């Protein structure tokens, strides 16, 4: 599976969790204004949510793609790109300079 396809299926899973959480919050009387923001570290995943054409070949990936696009069009979620410089998850998975690692660690600990 390509990185794009796996990231898109992860966005779909996250979208389903967000949808369930929003439903539970509405059941408790909490009003939700605007879309929930989903951050993706793959720029093509963030950009392809707003384009109707798709080049995916597997049926499961197409379903995830169109399901996410439908929720973006309904303004339930908004998918945005998170650059490597500010991505907190990258400090656990990528080699970084000491100063960059300290900056990201400081954002988590303090």
């Amino acid at each position: 599976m390509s990185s794009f396809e796996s990231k898109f299926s992860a966005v779909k899973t996250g979208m389903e969790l967000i949808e369930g959480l929003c439903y539970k919050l509405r059941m408790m009387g909490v009003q939700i204004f605007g879309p929930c923001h989903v951050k993706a570290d793959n720029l093509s995943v963030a950009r392809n949510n707003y384009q109707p054409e798709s080049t995916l070949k597997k049926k499961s990936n197409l379903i995830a793609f169109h399901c996410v696009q439908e929720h973006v069009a309904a303004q339930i979620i908004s998918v945005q790109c998170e650059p490597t410089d500010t991505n907190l998850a990258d400090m656990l998975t990528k080699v970084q300079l000491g100063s960059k690692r300290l900056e990201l660690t400081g954002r988590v600990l303090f």
Side-chain angles (χ1 to χ4, degrees):
M1 184 183 295
S2 72
S3 175
F4 174 79
E5 293 168 347
S6 63
K7 302 269 183 183
F8 228 100
S9 64
V11 169
K12 179 184 176 278
T13 303
M15 180 220 39
E16 291 170 347
L17 293 172
I18 288 171
E19 192 174 28
L21 181 61
C22 289
Y23 177 75
K24 289 175 186 171
L25 288 171
R26 283 194 301 270
M27 292 287 290
M28 289 187 267
V30 177
Q31 293 183 356
I32 299 172
F33 301 102
C36 294
H37 302 288
V38 177
K39 303 283 186 168
D41 63 350
N42 191 329
L43 186 60
S44 62
V45 169
R47 284 186 182 165
N48 282 328
N49 288 304
Y50 304 101
Q51 299 172 353
E53 62 273 354
S54 173
T55 59
L56 300 175
K57 293 180 174 61
K58 294 182 183 175
K59 185 177 181 180
S60 61
N61 295 331
L62 281 172
I63 291 170
F65 180 80
H66 291 296
C67 187
V68 170
Q69 274 193 331
E70 178 181 322
H71 282 74
V72 168
Q75 295 183 347
I76 296 171
I77 64 169
S78 169
V79 181
Q80 301 166 348
C81 185
E82 179 72 27
T84 302
D85 296 341
T86 59
N87 193 347
L88 296 176
D90 281 350
M91 73 179 182
L92 302 173
T93 59
K94 294 183 180 175
V95 177
Q96 297 171 333
L97 296 175
S99 60
K100 189 60 176 171
R101 182 171 292 284
L102 284 175
E103 177 188 336
L104 292 176
T105 306
R107 288 180 50 199
V108 172
L109 296 177
F110 302 108

